[in-house]
Amino acid sequence: MVFGLSDVAYLSSEAGAADLQRASGYTFSADTLVSDTAALRDEFGGRAAALAQTVQLRRKAAAKLGDVDRWLFTDDALQQATPAAVASHRAARLAGLVVHDVTCSVGSELAALDGVAAMVIGSDIDPVRTAMARHNIGNRVLVCRADALAPASRAQVVIADPGRRSGGRRRFDPSAYSPPLDAVLRTYDDRDLVVKCAPGLDFIDLREQTGFDGEVEVVSLDGGVREACLWSAGLADVRRRATVLVTSGVGYQLTDADPEDCAVAEAGEWIIDPDGAVVRAGLVRQYAARHGLWQLDSRIAYLSGDSVPAGVQGYRVLDSLPYNEKRLRQALAARDCGSVEITVRGVDVDPAVLRTRLKLRGSVALSVVITRIDSGAKAFVCAARSPGGTRTPSPRSA
């Protein structure tokens, strides 16, 4: 549904809170969604849609944002909201400063900054999200309605998170962000600025087209790349940074100032696929140098070594062969393979299609790494990875 200001006023009231408590008794599961919605409509009439949506969004938000059982959301706002761990990491870099979040949405970034920054201001052009942010944050932070492209404060640092979703669909063109990314950079070119953007952005093109000369930080959380963050030159001392966060354990950072001495050689006992933040930040060689690894090909992100860095899953190499579908099928059959995980880099192979065509009938689970090496392609037959670790690569990472 599309929330209006009247919905926010109702949901923020004592009566709305009581009704939400009663609505939270419904499961809204796939099996009961229709019946639960009908029962809610019988009980609350025209308020049912707002209640049902809010209960469901709060449940989705819990894993991402933590204790938000009183918060209000729109679906798009929740999808774009920064996970609490990532927002806390960013807030720590802004400790003691006066910060204005000019696209505060429903307030997830404000919550992380509150108590860390010297002063926090939030604003958004959307009146519904502004009203939700006031409800979510309370009186701890000044929240007002303002256009991000019309500076409304003299804060030391401006944070912007341009909208990259509309109707649940992502926008990939930075000129289609709301507000456009280049407009944000121009508007605050005289201010320290932090801009959250999509990790798939072409950062080389961004620098060439806009003149941005600060830091690009790519952040992952529990193995999944979450965002890229642009830090203006006044807040940065490097140009590229990879930040790997984990909810259980210790994360790490790499920058382009780290050593990058890294050889290119044949595979050793293990193949390692670095975290996506490392790959997208262009810091694979720095990661290899830190852990005593080497590249299989200078253009490909797969690394190799005789041991695996702590907390990382690797592929233990059993066999290798020039990539050929028939030869790979024979090699897997010889090992009684019945199921296989396939990862690919630099080769035009669809793992799902290949898996079907291999027609495996054995009982052993294995992994296959297919990668470009020099002008050809090679397949590495590997032992199946055991559960655990901090990194779970997608089935296809080309």
Side-chain angles (χ1 to χ4, degrees):
M1 67 164 288
V2 177
F3 287 92
L5 287 174
S6 60
D7 296 311
V8 179
Y10 160 64
L11 294 168
S12 301
S13 68
E14 290 187 9
D19 291 348
L20 280 166
Q21 183 64 35
R22 290 162 64 187
S24 65
Y26 293 90
T27 61
F28 299 110
S29 67
D31 294 333
T32 67
L33 181 59
V34 174
S35 59
D36 286 349
T37 302
L40 206 63
R41 191 178 299 113
D42 289 342
E43 186 174 359
F44 295 104
R47 301 292 195 188
L51 292 168
Q53 182 84 329
T54 298
V55 169
Q56 293 175 81
L57 289 174
R58 284 177 173 177
R59 290 172 181 171
K60 289 180 182 178
K64 186 177 188 180
L65 302 178
D67 183 13
V68 289
D69 59 355
R70 289 187 59 258
W71 279 42
L72 302 178
F73 303 92
T74 69
D75 186 55
D76 280 350
L78 177 55
Q79 289 188 55
Q80 188 162 323
T82 304
V86 179
S88 294
H89 160 73
R90 178 164 34 251
R93 290 187 63 172
L94 299 171
L97 300 175
V98 177
V99 182
H100 183 175
D101 183 349
V102 297
T103 55
C104 72
S105 186
V106 299
S108 59
E109 205 85 36
L110 301 179
L113 288 162
D114 182 38
V116 177
M119 179 180 178
V120 184
I121 304 167
S123 62
D124 200 284
I125 198 170
D126 186 324
V128 170
R129 294 190 185 190
T130 303
M132 287 183 171
R134 289 196 190 102
H135 168 81
N136 296 341
I137 302 300
N139 296 323
R140 304 193 312 274
V141 172
L142 172 64
V143 178
C144 58
R145 187 182 178 198
D147 185 342
L149 299 182
S153 79
R154 295 185 179 180
Q156 293 171 274
V157 181
V158 169
I159 290 182
D161 183 5
R164 298 181 301 281
R165 291 181 179 271
S166 179
R169 303 183 68 177
R170 286 193 178 108
R171 298 166 172 164
F172 295 99
D173 181 358
S175 66
Y177 288 3
S178 179
L181 178 56
D182 57 347
V184 173
L185 294 174
R186 285 196 307 271
T187 299
Y188 297 101
D189 63 356
D190 62 344
R191 203 95 61 93
D192 283 340
L193 176 65
V194 183
V195 187
K196 177 181 166 184
C197 56
L201 195 65
D202 186 330
F203 303 120
I204 295 176
D205 183 65
L206 172 72
R207 293 186 189 276
E208 292 177 349
Q209 295 297 322
T210 68
F212 174 74
D213 63 349
E215 171 192 323
V216 175
E217 179 186 26
V218 184
V219 183
S220 70
L221 176 63
D222 293 333
V225 177
R226 298 294 181 163
E227 66 176 51
C229 191
L230 308 181
W231 297 81
S232 62
L235 296 169
D237 55 7
V238 297
R239 288 175 65 82
R240 288 176 289 131
R241 183 188 306 268
T243 298
V244 177
L245 304 174
V246 291
T247 52
S248 298
V250 179
Y252 61 88
Q253 291 190 334
L254 283 167
T255 76
D256 56 349
D258 289 319
E260 60 174 335
D261 297 331
C262 168
V264 177
E266 295 288 332
E269 183 177 355
W270 295 89
I271 291 176
I272 294 95
D273 190 7
D275 187 275
V278 173
V279 175
R280 296 196 188 190
L283 297 171
V284 171
R285 292 179 60 82
Q286 285 82 353
Y287 181 86
R290 176 175 293 186
H291 295 288
L293 307 173
W294 58 88
Q295 290 182 288
L296 298 174
D297 183 285
S298 61
R299 303 156 298 177
I300 300 296
Y302 283 133
L303 300 173
S304 188
D306 295 322
S307 62
V308 179
V312 175
Q313 290 184 327
Y315 300 91
R316 186 165 64 83
V317 178
L318 303 176
D319 193 9
S320 64
L321 59 149
Y323 175 65
N324 173 281
E325 189 175 312
K326 180 178 179 181
R327 290 186 60 185
L328 177 59
R329 184 186 303 112
Q330 291 171 342
L332 293 173
R335 293 181 179 274
D336 192 32
C337 180
S339 62
V340 64
E341 173 196 17
I342 302 172
T343 61
V344 178
R345 283 195 189 276
V347 181
D348 187 16
V349 172
D350 185 326
V353 173
L354 176 59
R355 188 179 296 107
T356 300
R357 290 166 55 166
L358 289 173
K359 299 178 181 178
L360 302 173
R361 295 183 174 85
S363 58
V364 176
L366 296 173
S367 296
V368 171
V369 176
I370 301 173
T371 183
R372 179 178 63 180
I373 294 183
D374 296 327
S375 59
K378 202 163 187 177
F380 295 89
V381 178
C382 305
R385 294 183 303 161
S386 59
T390 61
R391 165 81 175 136
T392 305
S394 59
R396 184 176 188 176
S397 47

